Amino acid sequence: MIGLISATAAGAAARDRLAAAWPDRTRVYDGPVGDAVRRAFAECEQLVCFLATGAVVRLIAPLLGDKASDPGVVCVDEGGRFAVSLVGGHGGGANELAREAGELLGAEPVVTTATDAVGVPGLDTLGLPVEGAVAAVSRALLDGEPVALHNESLWPLPPLPVAAEGAYGIRVTDRLVELSEREVLLRPPTLVVGVGASKGAPVEEVLDLIEDSLREAGLSLKSVAELATVDAKAQEPGIVAAAERLGVPLVAYSAEELAAVEVPNPSDAPLAAVGTPSVAEAAALIGGGELLVPKRKSAARPAMATCAAVRRPARGRLAVVGLGPGARDLLTPRAKAELRRASVLVGLDQYVDQIRDLLRPGTRILESGLGAEEERARTAVAEARKGRAVALIGSGDAGVYAMASPALAEASDDIDVIGVPGVTAALAAAAILGAPLGHDHVSISLSDLHTPWEVIERRVRAAAEADIVVTFYNPRSRGRDWQLPKALAILAEHREPATPVGVVRNASRPDESARLTTLAALDPATVDMMTVVTVGNTATRDIAGRMVTPRGYRWQEGAK
């Protein structure tokens, strides 16, 4: 919960804007400011104070404990110009909160955390348990000293300015290792622990078994990703409580699913009790991986719990990111976040240039020219299969005439794929023209490089006969100058010469141009590959210089 505190009418107005935008995330604290801050500090994970930073510093100073438990605190000035991350930038999430609040209020986020200021991700913000000399290694990263990365688990990390060797080190492993005073240890969630238990097994017995088994195998409890069991034991209190105390999900499988898993130590006892010859080993192995701890019983007499542990291989991460039509303010926050998260960026050189300044230091860029779409898709998938965090970029929306299709055709289920939507060229052009897509519409590419013209023509004819608004992508190039006139002629068989046509070039970019013409008056020679052509249907009208297709036709009929 985010506590909101203000002292003046101006502050209250901005406070109420945040409260209205985040009704489920915020709580307004009224009354004397000092009391309000103290109550919010004790009850909330984060605070936004619409007060001077000096006042907030004096109010929260006696309340501060440590950065691991203190809430994140953001100050917004009375004029709403700045959102300052004051306390808990990383651990309390104040840096991100300052950015979010600033975006909503039109305020400039002020973040002074050293790593954020230079674009290096904080080691305590990577979403992994961290141990060791965090401050010393972070300082080395900031000072440009060589820091070696030993990613034993091949876990997909954001870009870090690391080297093959160095006096400082970052180690990513699920093993129990001794660290030097110049090392940081990151614990990836690679371990799955299968658990079986008799009815009434105490949670202490289950936990002791898991902890002892992992420790003796040289594995860290902090790398446990989940507990797994048979569905007949999914409500067993000892198992449920063990998962809760470890802070991991409990996953259950049917006896039939577990019985199909080949295990080294099957037994008649679980077969008779729950219908599968193995619970612990089968539940751990069902998703694949390396069995590190074979089935083991608890030390109690009689033993009431069993466990087994498997290391599942890390999965690379491929984000297919739509950059929108080109304008920076049409690049979504989610796309920006994925660009900053990726350690490898793959894309067309001209698209890379658009967002190069958003990348973190250390991001490896693999760029190529026009015509290499399939090669880029293969490269991105190959990099993800190496356990890396990869962003594959395209203009508009990644799934519309862009990189998602070739990438997903290459990808199998051994990597995680995330689609990040973007504003398409058709939508950007439509917003400039007015509302041409107010009713049914279709997008058709006129490029016959990959699609036979016979197929394209059949689609254009179908849209013409169905009276659907058509947006043409790739309408005309130097080597393809006859396809657009042919497509327009097909539409003209079913639409009046005065049908509105919108022509937008470089939508949302600095050299944007747009004009509204008609089906009869459009000169195809004025169109190129940077242009989107939108042809209205029989209901589309030019209203005050804007292209409008009504949502329905009743109001239009009534106006005749």
Side-chain angles (χ1 to χ4, degrees):
M1 187 61 67
I2 304 171
L4 305 179
I5 302 102
S6 62
T8 66
R15 175 203 68 194
D16 292 342
R17 288 172 61 191
L18 278 192
W22 299 336
D24 299 326
R25 298 176 59 190
T26 56
R27 180 185 303 158
V28 173
Y29 285 80
D30 293 317
V33 170
D35 292 341
V37 169
R38 283 188 287 273
R39 285 188 288 122
F41 198 93
E43 297 170 359
C44 297
E45 292 80 22
Q46 296 174 318
L47 281 69
V48 178
C49 300
F50 297 86
L51 307 164
T53 54
V56 178
V57 167
R58 286 190 293 271
L59 288 170
I60 67 172
L63 309 176
L64 294 174
D66 62 78
K67 65 178 184 180
S69 59
D70 289 334
V73 180
V74 170
C75 291
V76 178
D77 67 288
E78 291 289 318
R81 297 171 299 168
F82 304 103
V84 182
S85 174
L86 188 65
V87 171
H90 284 168
N95 291 351
E96 184 58 32
L97 179 59
R99 296 186 182 101
E100 287 187 83
E103 186 171 352
L104 277 171
L105 299 173
E108 180 71 24
V110 179
V111 175
T112 58
T113 307
T115 50
D116 290 69
V118 299
V120 176
L123 298 176
D124 54 351
T125 67
L126 301 181
L128 302 178
V130 59
E131 307 169 23
V134 176
V137 175
S138 296
R139 186 169 57 251
L141 290 171
L142 292 170
D143 291 343
E145 297 189 43
V147 176
L149 174 65
H150 305 287
N151 191 352
E152 297 177 9
S153 301
L154 296 179
W155 196 260
L157 296 173
L160 294 165
V162 293
E165 297 180 357
Y168 294 85
I170 299 170
R171 190 178 301 186
V172 187
T173 182
D174 54 22
R175 297 185 300 109
L176 294 176
V177 295
E178 289 190 16
L179 292 177
S180 75
E181 61 184 11
R182 292 187 169 189
E183 279 188 297
V184 162
L185 190 63
L186 297 174
R187 295 295 192 192
T190 55
L191 303 179
V192 177
V193 177
V195 181
S198 302
K199 184 176 182 180
V203 60
E204 290 78 11
E205 183 173 343
V206 177
L207 280 175
D208 287 346
L209 173 62
I210 294 172
E211 292 170 3
D212 292 346
S213 300
L214 293 180
R215 183 176 60 254
E216 292 178 19
L219 300 171
S220 172
L221 194 66
K222 294 181 180 179
S223 281
V224 175
E226 64 185 41
L227 298 190
T229 191
V230 65
D231 54 9
K233 295 294 180 179
Q235 303 301 319
E236 185 62 40
I239 296 178
V240 173
E244 290 175 349
R245 291 195 194 179
L246 292 173
V248 299
L250 175 62
V251 180
Y253 302 96
S254 69
E256 292 76 15
E257 290 175 299
L258 297 183
V261 179
E262 185 175 343
V263 298
N265 300 293
S267 173
D268 292 335
L271 180 61
V274 294
T276 173
S278 173
V279 172
E281 286 182 342
L285 283 167
I286 193 169
E290 179 186 3
L291 183 64
L292 303 179
V293 178
K295 183 179 72 174
R296 175 172 170 168
K297 294 182 179 181
S298 55
R301 293 293 179 268
M304 299 185 71
T306 61
C307 82
V310 164
R311 176 188 289 138
R312 290 186 182 170
R315 293 170 62 86
R317 189 176 192 278
L318 173 61
V320 189
V321 182
L323 301 180
R328 179 57 59 85
D329 58 354
L330 292 182
L331 179 66
T332 67
R334 187 179 300 179
K336 292 178 184 178
E338 288 294 345
L339 293 175
R340 295 178 64 80
R341 177 172 181 167
S343 62
V344 179
L345 182 85
V346 182
L348 179 67
D349 47 13
Q350 64 188 49
Y351 297 152
V352 172
D353 289 340
Q354 291 180 22
I355 47 83
R356 198 182 296 271
D357 62 302
L358 296 178
L359 305 177
R360 290 189 186 275
T363 304
R364 188 157 60 97
I365 300 173
L366 304 176
E367 54 188 314
S368 53
L370 286 169
E373 288 81 4
E374 293 181 357
E375 177 186 344
R376 285 194 291 274
R378 286 192 294 268
T379 297
V381 171
E383 291 293 323
R385 286 190 174 130
K386 295 175 184 176
R388 297 181 177 128
V390 182
L392 175 62
I393 61 173
S395 67
D397 181 274
V400 179
Y401 301 124
M403 294 306 300
S405 295
L408 268 62
E410 291 286 335
S412 53
D413 62 358
D414 57 345
I415 62 173
D416 294 323
V417 178
I418 298 91
V420 182
V423 178
T424 67
L427 294 178
I432 295 165
L433 294 170
L437 309 183
H439 209 287
D440 296 337
H441 54 275
V442 63
S443 294
I444 299 176
S445 171
L446 294 184
S447 173
D448 56 0
L449 295 178
H450 300 288
T451 305
W453 173 253
E454 293 75 14
V455 175
I456 297 173
E457 181 173 337
R458 188 165 64 247
R459 292 170 180 173
V460 174
R461 196 169 297 281
E465 294 174 353
D467 196 27
I468 297 176
V469 175
V470 181
T471 297
F472 287 125
Y473 278 72
N474 306 313
R476 185 178 181 273
S477 68
R478 290 179 181 177
R480 295 186 300 101
D481 58 1
W482 60 268
Q483 287 88 344
L484 179 60
K486 176 64 175 177
L488 295 174
I490 294 171
L491 291 175
E493 295 174 10
H494 300 270
R495 301 181 192 182
E496 296 295 327
T499 299
V501 176
V503 181
V504 180
R505 188 177 190 278
N506 284 330
S508 87
R509 299 184 182 183
D511 55 347
E512 167 190 298
S513 64
R515 56 194 172 91
L516 187 57
T517 182
T518 65
L519 188 56
L522 174 61
D523 180 4
T526 62
V527 173
D528 62 13
M529 286 288 286
M530 306 303 294
T531 306
V532 172
V533 177
T534 302
V535 182
N537 66 8
T538 56
T540 304
R541 295 291 181 268
D542 177 344
I543 302 177
R546 302 181 185 93
M547 188 175 178
V548 181
T549 303
R551 290 182 60 189
Y553 301 146
R554 293 180 180 175
W555 67 268
Q556 183 185 8
E557 293 172 355
K560 289 181 179 179

